[in-house]
Amino acid sequence: KKLFREKYVYRLVSKASSVIAISKDVQAKFEPLLGRKMDLVYNGVPVEKYRLEDVSRFEAPITRILLAGRISVQKGQMDAIKAVELLIQRGIDNVSLTLVGQGETKEYLEYVKSYVKEHGLEQKVCILEHHDDLRELRRQCDIGLTCSKKEAFGRVTVENMLAKMLVIGANTGGTMEIIDDSHNGLLYEEGNPESLAERIEYAIFHKNNSQKMIEQGFTCAIKDYSINRVVIQILALYKSVDRCFTV
């Protein structure tokens, strides 16, 4: 999608009392276009909708991996599929990958499906174009992936943290602002399935560290990305704007 009369819109926005960016990545992109400083307020997530606590991770014989989001080149599903393929080639075959999302185009969805079939991965990679209960699916999975080429924010990463899954994300955009590598999750080199395979392998064979990162991610998501936190920051911003007008 594109803005109608883009330059005119930017001129209007640049005159606003405050312009909010939802990540540092968005801030860096739009400040030069607007020619002004922007305020940073990360998106908020309804914690109770995604929060899971009565779950155990990395205890089942199979490590289950989830990647949720529309199936497109930009979302990086092929990174995940090829990473699983590499793990199997190394003899680590106790893994499974579930992709959830509609295809952005029919052609690309068919390409992904055909790759899985032609490489004999049908028993390891499941593609669900529809799923009515993503919360329940998260309950069953150990690792949540964000493989996008560049997320503006990365809401799905926060949702996975709240579900007490280990998050592994691409080292780009908003994702790398949310994931503090080896503290509350793991980062891999975007576009490099070998790098992703290494991070998944690390998680499987260092379960104690994985559990610590899961707990840190859960705490971080509640502290930094709740709706309550957004409300407090936005109210403070409104009050500062109001003071400027009063003066």
Side-chain angles (χ1 to χ4, degrees), residues 99-131:
L99 306 178
V100 181
Q102 294 184 322
E104 188 167 62
T105 65
K106 182 178 180 181
E107 292 75 18
Y108 188 73
L109 179 60
E110 288 305 314
Y111 163 72
V112 173
K113 288 181 176 179
S114 64
Y115 185 96
V116 170
K117 184 176 181 179
E118 290 168 8
H119 289 250
L121 298 171
E122 293 140 301
Q123 299 302 312
K124 298 294 181 182
V125 179
C126 174
I127 301 174
L128 302 174
E129 294 180 59
H130 305 279
H131 198 280

PDB file of all heavy atoms in Angstrom, residues 99-131:
ATOM      1  N   LEU A  99       4.258 -23.983   9.928  1.00  0.00           N
ATOM      2  CA  LEU A  99       4.046 -22.654   9.356  1.00  0.00           C
ATOM      3  C   LEU A  99       2.551 -22.371   9.378  1.00  0.00           C
ATOM      4  O   LEU A  99       1.762 -23.188   8.916  1.00  0.00           O
ATOM      5  CB  LEU A  99       4.554 -22.589   7.909  1.00  0.00           C
ATOM      6  CG  LEU A  99       6.003 -23.012   7.639  1.00  0.00           C
ATOM      7  CD1 LEU A  99       6.303 -22.920   6.148  1.00  0.00           C
ATOM      8  CD2 LEU A  99       6.975 -22.160   8.433  1.00  0.00           C
ATOM      9  N   VAL A 100       2.172 -21.223   9.911  1.00  0.00           N
ATOM     10  CA  VAL A 100       0.756 -20.856   9.971  1.00  0.00           C
ATOM     11  C   VAL A 100       0.560 -19.529   9.266  1.00  0.00           C
ATOM     12  O   VAL A 100       1.168 -18.522   9.646  1.00  0.00           O
ATOM     13  CB  VAL A 100       0.267 -20.742  11.426  1.00  0.00           C
ATOM     14  CG1 VAL A 100      -1.222 -20.392  11.449  1.00  0.00           C
ATOM     15  CG2 VAL A 100       0.499 -22.031  12.185  1.00  0.00           C
ATOM     16  N   GLY A 101      -0.270 -19.511   8.239  1.00  0.00           N
ATOM     17  CA  GLY A 101      -0.561 -18.254   7.553  1.00  0.00           C
ATOM     18  C   GLY A 101      -0.993 -18.489   6.120  1.00  0.00           C
ATOM     19  O   GLY A 101      -0.670 -19.514   5.513  1.00  0.00           O
ATOM     20  N   GLN A 102      -1.715 -17.530   5.604  1.00  0.00           N
ATOM     21  CA  GLN A 102      -2.149 -17.601   4.216  1.00  0.00           C
ATOM     22  C   GLN A 102      -1.026 -17.151   3.298  1.00  0.00           C
ATOM     23  O   GLN A 102      -0.175 -16.342   3.681  1.00  0.00           O
ATOM     24  CB  GLN A 102      -3.382 -16.723   3.999  1.00  0.00           C
ATOM     25  CG  GLN A 102      -4.615 -17.211   4.736  1.00  0.00           C
ATOM     26  CD  GLN A 102      -5.824 -16.363   4.424  1.00  0.00           C
ATOM     27  OE1 GLN A 102      -5.737 -15.154   4.279  1.00  0.00           O
ATOM     28  NE2 GLN A 102      -6.988 -16.994   4.328  1.00  0.00           N
ATOM     29  N   GLY A 103      -1.015 -17.674   2.095  1.00  0.00           N
ATOM     30  CA  GLY A 103      -0.021 -17.259   1.117  1.00  0.00           C
ATOM     31  C   GLY A 103      -0.314 -15.857   0.613  1.00  0.00           C
ATOM     32  O   GLY A 103      -1.469 -15.524   0.326  1.00  0.00           O
ATOM     33  N   GLU A 104       0.729 -15.042   0.536  1.00  0.00           N
ATOM     34  CA  GLU A 104       0.532 -13.687  -0.004  1.00  0.00           C
ATOM     35  C   GLU A 104       0.104 -13.772  -1.461  1.00  0.00           C
ATOM     36  O   GLU A 104      -0.715 -12.981  -1.928  1.00  0.00           O
ATOM     37  CB  GLU A 104       1.824 -12.893   0.132  1.00  0.00           C
ATOM     38  CG  GLU A 104       1.669 -11.431  -0.222  1.00  0.00           C
ATOM     39  CD  GLU A 104       2.862 -10.607   0.222  1.00  0.00           C
ATOM     40  OE1 GLU A 104       3.980 -10.872  -0.263  1.00  0.00           O
ATOM     41  OE2 GLU A 104       2.669  -9.698   1.048  1.00  0.00           O
ATOM     42  N   THR A 105       0.679 -14.743  -2.171  1.00  0.00           N
ATOM     43  CA  THR A 105       0.229 -15.057  -3.529  1.00  0.00           C
ATOM     44  C   THR A 105       0.112 -16.570  -3.646  1.00  0.00           C
ATOM     45  O   THR A 105       0.811 -17.317  -2.945  1.00  0.00           O
ATOM     46  CB  THR A 105       1.222 -14.559  -4.597  1.00  0.00           C
ATOM     47  OG1 THR A 105       2.468 -15.275  -4.465  1.00  0.00           O
ATOM     48  CG2 THR A 105       1.475 -13.064  -4.473  1.00  0.00           C
ATOM     49  N   LYS A 106      -0.750 -17.013  -4.516  1.00  0.00           N
ATOM     50  CA  LYS A 106      -0.933 -18.439  -4.733  1.00  0.00           C
ATOM     51  C   LYS A 106       0.356 -19.066  -5.254  1.00  0.00           C
ATOM     52  O   LYS A 106       0.730 -20.180  -4.872  1.00  0.00           O
ATOM     53  CB  LYS A 106      -2.070 -18.670  -5.730  1.00  0.00           C
ATOM     54  CG  LYS A 106      -2.380 -20.133  -5.983  1.00  0.00           C
ATOM     55  CD  LYS A 106      -3.535 -20.289  -6.944  1.00  0.00           C
ATOM     56  CE  LYS A 106      -3.836 -21.762  -7.203  1.00  0.00           C
ATOM     57  NZ  LYS A 106      -4.952 -21.924  -8.174  1.00  0.00           N
ATOM     58  N   GLU A 107       1.058 -18.316  -6.119  1.00  0.00           N
ATOM     59  CA  GLU A 107       2.279 -18.835  -6.737  1.00  0.00           C
ATOM     60  C   GLU A 107       3.362 -19.091  -5.687  1.00  0.00           C
ATOM     61  O   GLU A 107       4.029 -20.136  -5.706  1.00  0.00           O
ATOM     62  CB  GLU A 107       2.802 -17.857  -7.794  1.00  0.00           C
ATOM     63  CG  GLU A 107       1.935 -17.710  -9.029  1.00  0.00           C
ATOM     64  CD  GLU A 107       0.680 -16.885  -8.779  1.00  0.00           C
ATOM     65  OE1 GLU A 107       0.636 -16.143  -7.759  1.00  0.00           O
ATOM     66  OE2 GLU A 107      -0.261 -16.984  -9.599  1.00  0.00           O
ATOM     67  N   TYR A 108       3.523 -18.147  -4.750  1.00  0.00           N
ATOM     68  CA  TYR A 108       4.587 -18.326  -3.753  1.00  0.00           C
ATOM     69  C   TYR A 108       4.235 -19.447  -2.777  1.00  0.00           C
ATOM     70  O   TYR A 108       5.102 -20.231  -2.380  1.00  0.00           O
ATOM     71  CB  TYR A 108       4.857 -17.032  -2.981  1.00  0.00           C
ATOM     72  CG  TYR A 108       6.067 -17.164  -2.090  1.00  0.00           C
ATOM     73  CD1 TYR A 108       7.352 -17.195  -2.642  1.00  0.00           C
ATOM     74  CD2 TYR A 108       5.945 -17.322  -0.717  1.00  0.00           C
ATOM     75  CE1 TYR A 108       8.477 -17.362  -1.843  1.00  0.00           C
ATOM     76  CE2 TYR A 108       7.061 -17.487   0.094  1.00  0.00           C
ATOM     77  CZ  TYR A 108       8.325 -17.503  -0.478  1.00  0.00           C
ATOM     78  OH  TYR A 108       9.435 -17.682   0.309  1.00  0.00           O
ATOM     79  N   LEU A 109       2.982 -19.525  -2.399  1.00  0.00           N
ATOM     80  CA  LEU A 109       2.554 -20.608  -1.513  1.00  0.00           C
ATOM     81  C   LEU A 109       2.826 -21.961  -2.164  1.00  0.00           C
ATOM     82  O   LEU A 109       3.324 -22.889  -1.502  1.00  0.00           O
ATOM     83  CB  LEU A 109       1.067 -20.471  -1.193  1.00  0.00           C
ATOM     84  CG  LEU A 109       0.467 -21.551  -0.289  1.00  0.00           C
ATOM     85  CD1 LEU A 109       1.155 -21.581   1.065  1.00  0.00           C
ATOM     86  CD2 LEU A 109      -1.033 -21.325  -0.112  1.00  0.00           C
ATOM     87  N   GLU A 110       2.532 -22.078  -3.448  1.00  0.00           N
ATOM     88  CA  GLU A 110       2.789 -23.331  -4.158  1.00  0.00           C
ATOM     89  C   GLU A 110       4.280 -23.631  -4.244  1.00  0.00           C
ATOM     90  O   GLU A 110       4.694 -24.788  -4.164  1.00  0.00           O
ATOM     91  CB  GLU A 110       2.179 -23.273  -5.566  1.00  0.00           C
ATOM     92  CG  GLU A 110       0.668 -23.358  -5.580  1.00  0.00           C
ATOM     93  CD  GLU A 110       0.135 -24.582  -4.850  1.00  0.00           C
ATOM     94  OE1 GLU A 110       0.669 -25.685  -5.087  1.00  0.00           O
ATOM     95  OE2 GLU A 110      -0.784 -24.422  -4.025  1.00  0.00           O
ATOM     96  N   TYR A 111       5.096 -22.584  -4.394  1.00  0.00           N
ATOM     97  CA  TYR A 111       6.550 -22.777  -4.417  1.00  0.00           C
ATOM     98  C   TYR A 111       7.024 -23.362  -3.088  1.00  0.00           C
ATOM     99  O   TYR A 111       7.822 -24.318  -3.071  1.00  0.00           O
ATOM    100  CB  TYR A 111       7.257 -21.452  -4.679  1.00  0.00           C
ATOM    101  CG  TYR A 111       8.731 -21.480  -4.326  1.00  0.00           C
ATOM    102  CD1 TYR A 111       9.638 -22.186  -5.116  1.00  0.00           C
ATOM    103  CD2 TYR A 111       9.198 -20.845  -3.179  1.00  0.00           C
ATOM    104  CE1 TYR A 111      10.991 -22.235  -4.776  1.00  0.00           C
ATOM    105  CE2 TYR A 111      10.541 -20.882  -2.823  1.00  0.00           C
ATOM    106  CZ  TYR A 111      11.434 -21.587  -3.628  1.00  0.00           C
ATOM    107  OH  TYR A 111      12.758 -21.646  -3.281  1.00  0.00           O
ATOM    108  N   VAL A 112       6.541 -22.812  -1.970  1.00  0.00           N
ATOM    109  CA  VAL A 112       6.941 -23.298  -0.642  1.00  0.00           C
ATOM    110  C   VAL A 112       6.510 -24.748  -0.460  1.00  0.00           C
ATOM    111  O   VAL A 112       7.285 -25.606   0.000  1.00  0.00           O
ATOM    112  CB  VAL A 112       6.343 -22.407   0.468  1.00  0.00           C
ATOM    113  CG1 VAL A 112       6.604 -23.008   1.851  1.00  0.00           C
ATOM    114  CG2 VAL A 112       6.929 -21.001   0.393  1.00  0.00           C
ATOM    115  N   LYS A 113       5.278 -25.043  -0.826  1.00  0.00           N
ATOM    116  CA  LYS A 113       4.760 -26.411  -0.688  1.00  0.00           C
ATOM    117  C   LYS A 113       5.547 -27.389  -1.551  1.00  0.00           C
ATOM    118  O   LYS A 113       5.870 -28.506  -1.101  1.00  0.00           O
ATOM    119  CB  LYS A 113       3.272 -26.455  -1.076  1.00  0.00           C
ATOM    120  CG  LYS A 113       2.354 -25.809  -0.062  1.00  0.00           C
ATOM    121  CD  LYS A 113       0.907 -25.920  -0.514  1.00  0.00           C
ATOM    122  CE  LYS A 113      -0.058 -25.374   0.522  1.00  0.00           C
ATOM    123  NZ  LYS A 113      -1.475 -25.468   0.076  1.00  0.00           N
ATOM    124  N   SER A 114       5.866 -26.967  -2.762  1.00  0.00           N
ATOM    125  CA  SER A 114       6.598 -27.870  -3.669  1.00  0.00           C
ATOM    126  C   SER A 114       8.014 -28.116  -3.168  1.00  0.00           C
ATOM    127  O   SER A 114       8.548 -29.226  -3.300  1.00  0.00           O
ATOM    128  CB  SER A 114       6.624 -27.305  -5.088  1.00  0.00           C
ATOM    129  OG  SER A 114       7.350 -26.085  -5.144  1.00  0.00           O
ATOM    130  N   TYR A 115       8.643 -27.097  -2.560  1.00  0.00           N
ATOM    131  CA  TYR A 115       9.993 -27.282  -2.007  1.00  0.00           C
ATOM    132  C   TYR A 115       9.951 -28.333  -0.900  1.00  0.00           C
ATOM    133  O   TYR A 115      10.810 -29.226  -0.840  1.00  0.00           O
ATOM    134  CB  TYR A 115      10.538 -25.962  -1.453  1.00  0.00           C
ATOM    135  CG  TYR A 115      11.978 -26.072  -0.987  1.00  0.00           C
ATOM    136  CD1 TYR A 115      13.028 -25.705  -1.814  1.00  0.00           C
ATOM    137  CD2 TYR A 115      12.296 -26.569   0.288  1.00  0.00           C
ATOM    138  CE1 TYR A 115      14.352 -25.825  -1.398  1.00  0.00           C
ATOM    139  CE2 TYR A 115      13.608 -26.696   0.713  1.00  0.00           C
ATOM    140  CZ  TYR A 115      14.632 -26.318  -0.141  1.00  0.00           C
ATOM    141  OH  TYR A 115      15.933 -26.458   0.271  1.00  0.00           O
ATOM    142  N   VAL A 116       8.963 -28.223  -0.022  1.00  0.00           N
ATOM    143  CA  VAL A 116       8.822 -29.183   1.081  1.00  0.00           C
ATOM    144  C   VAL A 116       8.652 -30.598   0.529  1.00  0.00           C
ATOM    145  O   VAL A 116       9.303 -31.547   1.000  1.00  0.00           O
ATOM    146  CB  VAL A 116       7.622 -28.804   1.974  1.00  0.00           C
ATOM    147  CG1 VAL A 116       7.306 -29.921   2.975  1.00  0.00           C
ATOM    148  CG2 VAL A 116       7.916 -27.504   2.714  1.00  0.00           C
ATOM    149  N   LYS A 117       7.809 -30.739  -0.488  1.00  0.00           N
ATOM    150  CA  LYS A 117       7.545 -32.056  -1.064  1.00  0.00           C
ATOM    151  C   LYS A 117       8.762 -32.611  -1.789  1.00  0.00           C
ATOM    152  O   LYS A 117       9.164 -33.769  -1.584  1.00  0.00           O
ATOM    153  CB  LYS A 117       6.357 -31.967  -2.029  1.00  0.00           C
ATOM    154  CG  LYS A 117       5.949 -33.300  -2.613  1.00  0.00           C
ATOM    155  CD  LYS A 117       4.703 -33.157  -3.486  1.00  0.00           C
ATOM    156  CE  LYS A 117       4.284 -34.515  -4.054  1.00  0.00           C
ATOM    157  NZ  LYS A 117       3.057 -34.390  -4.891  1.00  0.00           N
ATOM    158  N   GLU A 118       9.387 -31.792  -2.628  1.00  0.00           N
ATOM    159  CA  GLU A 118      10.515 -32.260  -3.430  1.00  0.00           C
ATOM    160  C   GLU A 118      11.738 -32.610  -2.595  1.00  0.00           C
ATOM    161  O   GLU A 118      12.563 -33.426  -2.998  1.00  0.00           O
ATOM    162  CB  GLU A 118      10.883 -31.193  -4.471  1.00  0.00           C
ATOM    163  CG  GLU A 118       9.838 -31.033  -5.567  1.00  0.00           C
ATOM    164  CD  GLU A 118      10.067 -29.788  -6.407  1.00  0.00           C
ATOM    165  OE1 GLU A 118      11.124 -29.135  -6.242  1.00  0.00           O
ATOM    166  OE2 GLU A 118       9.176 -29.451  -7.216  1.00  0.00           O
ATOM    167  N   HIS A 119      11.838 -32.020  -1.407  1.00  0.00           N
ATOM    168  CA  HIS A 119      12.991 -32.293  -0.541  1.00  0.00           C
ATOM    169  C   HIS A 119      12.662 -33.290   0.565  1.00  0.00           C
ATOM    170  O   HIS A 119      13.453 -33.459   1.503  1.00  0.00           O
ATOM    171  CB  HIS A 119      13.520 -30.979   0.046  1.00  0.00           C
ATOM    172  CG  HIS A 119      14.204 -30.114  -0.965  1.00  0.00           C
ATOM    173  ND1 HIS A 119      15.563 -29.886  -0.971  1.00  0.00           N
ATOM    174  CD2 HIS A 119      13.722 -29.414  -2.033  1.00  0.00           C
ATOM    175  CE1 HIS A 119      15.893 -29.103  -1.973  1.00  0.00           C
ATOM    176  NE2 HIS A 119      14.785 -28.796  -2.632  1.00  0.00           N
ATOM    177  N   GLY A 120      11.525 -33.942   0.433  1.00  0.00           N
ATOM    178  CA  GLY A 120      11.159 -35.006   1.363  1.00  0.00           C
ATOM    179  C   GLY A 120      10.969 -34.551   2.793  1.00  0.00           C
ATOM    180  O   GLY A 120      11.298 -35.278   3.736  1.00  0.00           O
ATOM    181  N   LEU A 121      10.386 -33.356   2.971  1.00  0.00           N
ATOM    182  CA  LEU A 121      10.247 -32.782   4.314  1.00  0.00           C
ATOM    183  C   LEU A 121       8.808 -32.817   4.828  1.00  0.00           C
ATOM    184  O   LEU A 121       8.501 -32.194   5.853  1.00  0.00           O
ATOM    185  CB  LEU A 121      10.750 -31.332   4.309  1.00  0.00           C
ATOM    186  CG  LEU A 121      12.222 -31.116   3.953  1.00  0.00           C
ATOM    187  CD1 LEU A 121      12.523 -29.627   3.770  1.00  0.00           C
ATOM    188  CD2 LEU A 121      13.124 -31.713   5.035  1.00  0.00           C
ATOM    189  N   GLU A 122       7.945 -33.540   4.159  1.00  0.00           N
ATOM    190  CA  GLU A 122       6.523 -33.518   4.520  1.00  0.00           C
ATOM    191  C   GLU A 122       6.248 -34.001   5.935  1.00  0.00           C
ATOM    192  O   GLU A 122       5.277 -33.569   6.563  1.00  0.00           O
ATOM    193  CB  GLU A 122       5.707 -34.347   3.516  1.00  0.00           C
ATOM    194  CG  GLU A 122       5.697 -33.736   2.131  1.00  0.00           C
ATOM    195  CD  GLU A 122       5.828 -34.786   1.046  1.00  0.00           C
ATOM    196  OE1 GLU A 122       6.827 -35.515   1.049  1.00  0.00           O
ATOM    197  OE2 GLU A 122       4.915 -34.869   0.212  1.00  0.00           O
ATOM    198  N   GLN A 123       7.106 -34.887   6.455  1.00  0.00           N
ATOM    199  CA  GLN A 123       6.914 -35.394   7.814  1.00  0.00           C
ATOM    200  C   GLN A 123       7.460 -34.425   8.865  1.00  0.00           C
ATOM    201  O   GLN A 123       7.210 -34.600  10.054  1.00  0.00           O
ATOM    202  CB  GLN A 123       7.598 -36.756   7.965  1.00  0.00           C
ATOM    203  CG  GLN A 123       7.067 -37.833   7.039  1.00  0.00           C
ATOM    204  CD  GLN A 123       5.581 -38.064   7.208  1.00  0.00           C
ATOM    205  OE1 GLN A 123       5.091 -38.203   8.330  1.00  0.00           O
ATOM    206  NE2 GLN A 123       4.853 -38.103   6.103  1.00  0.00           N
ATOM    207  N   LYS A 124       8.230 -33.441   8.423  1.00  0.00           N
ATOM    208  CA  LYS A 124       8.878 -32.511   9.351  1.00  0.00           C
ATOM    209  C   LYS A 124       8.321 -31.095   9.274  1.00  0.00           C
ATOM    210  O   LYS A 124       8.468 -30.321  10.219  1.00  0.00           O
ATOM    211  CB  LYS A 124      10.386 -32.460   9.078  1.00  0.00           C
ATOM    212  CG  LYS A 124      11.091 -33.789   9.290  1.00  0.00           C
ATOM    213  CD  LYS A 124      11.038 -34.194  10.766  1.00  0.00           C
ATOM    214  CE  LYS A 124      11.761 -35.506  11.010  1.00  0.00           C
ATOM    215  NZ  LYS A 124      11.674 -35.922  12.431  1.00  0.00           N
ATOM    216  N   VAL A 125       7.722 -30.734   8.146  1.00  0.00           N
ATOM    217  CA  VAL A 125       7.213 -29.373   7.951  1.00  0.00           C
ATOM    218  C   VAL A 125       5.718 -29.426   7.666  1.00  0.00           C
ATOM    219  O   VAL A 125       5.284 -30.061   6.694  1.00  0.00           O
ATOM    220  CB  VAL A 125       7.946 -28.653   6.807  1.00  0.00           C
ATOM    221  CG1 VAL A 125       7.377 -27.246   6.613  1.00  0.00           C
ATOM    222  CG2 VAL A 125       9.448 -28.590   7.068  1.00  0.00           C
ATOM    223  N   CYS A 126       4.948 -28.765   8.519  1.00  0.00           N
ATOM    224  CA  CYS A 126       3.497 -28.712   8.350  1.00  0.00           C
ATOM    225  C   CYS A 126       3.095 -27.280   7.991  1.00  0.00           C
ATOM    226  O   CYS A 126       3.520 -26.324   8.654  1.00  0.00           O
ATOM    227  CB  CYS A 126       2.818 -29.145   9.652  1.00  0.00           C
ATOM    228  SG  CYS A 126       1.021 -28.963   9.646  1.00  0.00           S
ATOM    229  N   ILE A 127       2.291 -27.127   6.950  1.00  0.00           N
ATOM    230  CA  ILE A 127       1.821 -25.814   6.521  1.00  0.00           C
ATOM    231  C   ILE A 127       0.320 -25.719   6.760  1.00  0.00           C
ATOM    232  O   ILE A 127      -0.460 -26.476   6.172  1.00  0.00           O
ATOM    233  CB  ILE A 127       2.147 -25.557   5.036  1.00  0.00           C
ATOM    234  CG1 ILE A 127       3.651 -25.645   4.799  1.00  0.00           C
ATOM    235  CG2 ILE A 127       1.610 -24.202   4.589  1.00  0.00           C
ATOM    236  CD1 ILE A 127       4.057 -25.554   3.332  1.00  0.00           C
ATOM    237  N   LEU A 128      -0.071 -24.812   7.639  1.00  0.00           N
ATOM    238  CA  LEU A 128      -1.479 -24.592   7.951  1.00  0.00           C
ATOM    239  C   LEU A 128      -1.882 -23.211   7.450  1.00  0.00           C
ATOM    240  O   LEU A 128      -1.407 -22.201   7.976  1.00  0.00           O
ATOM    241  CB  LEU A 128      -1.715 -24.674   9.463  1.00  0.00           C
ATOM    242  CG  LEU A 128      -1.321 -25.981  10.167  1.00  0.00           C
ATOM    243  CD1 LEU A 128      -1.485 -25.831  11.677  1.00  0.00           C
ATOM    244  CD2 LEU A 128      -2.159 -27.138   9.656  1.00  0.00           C
ATOM    245  N   GLU A 129      -2.742 -23.180   6.456  1.00  0.00           N
ATOM    246  CA  GLU A 129      -3.183 -21.886   5.937  1.00  0.00           C
ATOM    247  C   GLU A 129      -4.196 -21.227   6.859  1.00  0.00           C
ATOM    248  O   GLU A 129      -4.361 -20.004   6.833  1.00  0.00           O
ATOM    249  CB  GLU A 129      -3.758 -22.061   4.538  1.00  0.00           C
ATOM    250  CG  GLU A 129      -2.720 -22.508   3.507  1.00  0.00           C
ATOM    251  CD  GLU A 129      -3.302 -22.675   2.127  1.00  0.00           C
ATOM    252  OE1 GLU A 129      -3.834 -21.685   1.590  1.00  0.00           O
ATOM    253  OE2 GLU A 129      -3.237 -23.808   1.596  1.00  0.00           O
ATOM    254  N   HIS A 130      -4.860 -22.030   7.672  1.00  0.00           N
ATOM    255  CA  HIS A 130      -5.821 -21.498   8.650  1.00  0.00           C
ATOM    256  C   HIS A 130      -5.637 -22.251   9.960  1.00  0.00           C
ATOM    257  O   HIS A 130      -5.375 -23.445   9.970  1.00  0.00           O
ATOM    258  CB  HIS A 130      -7.269 -21.689   8.170  1.00  0.00           C
ATOM    259  CG  HIS A 130      -7.543 -21.106   6.822  1.00  0.00           C
ATOM    260  ND1 HIS A 130      -7.803 -19.763   6.624  1.00  0.00           N
ATOM    261  CD2 HIS A 130      -7.581 -21.681   5.600  1.00  0.00           C
ATOM    262  CE1 HIS A 130      -7.996 -19.537   5.332  1.00  0.00           C
ATOM    263  NE2 HIS A 130      -7.866 -20.686   4.696  1.00  0.00           N
ATOM    264  N   HIS A 131      -5.756 -21.531  11.068  1.00  0.00           N
ATOM    265  CA  HIS A 131      -5.787 -22.175  12.382  1.00  0.00           C
ATOM    266  C   HIS A 131      -6.606 -21.304  13.315  1.00  0.00           C
ATOM    267  O   HIS A 131      -6.324 -20.115  13.494  1.00  0.00           O
ATOM    268  CB  HIS A 131      -4.375 -22.370  12.941  1.00  0.00           C
ATOM    269  CG  HIS A 131      -4.326 -23.377  14.046  1.00  0.00           C
ATOM    270  ND1 HIS A 131      -4.684 -23.080  15.340  1.00  0.00           N
ATOM    271  CD2 HIS A 131      -3.980 -24.703  14.047  1.00  0.00           C
ATOM    272  CE1 HIS A 131      -4.554 -24.170  16.097  1.00  0.00           C
ATOM    273  NE2 HIS A 131      -4.131 -25.153  15.339  1.00  0.00           N
TER     274      HIS A 131
END
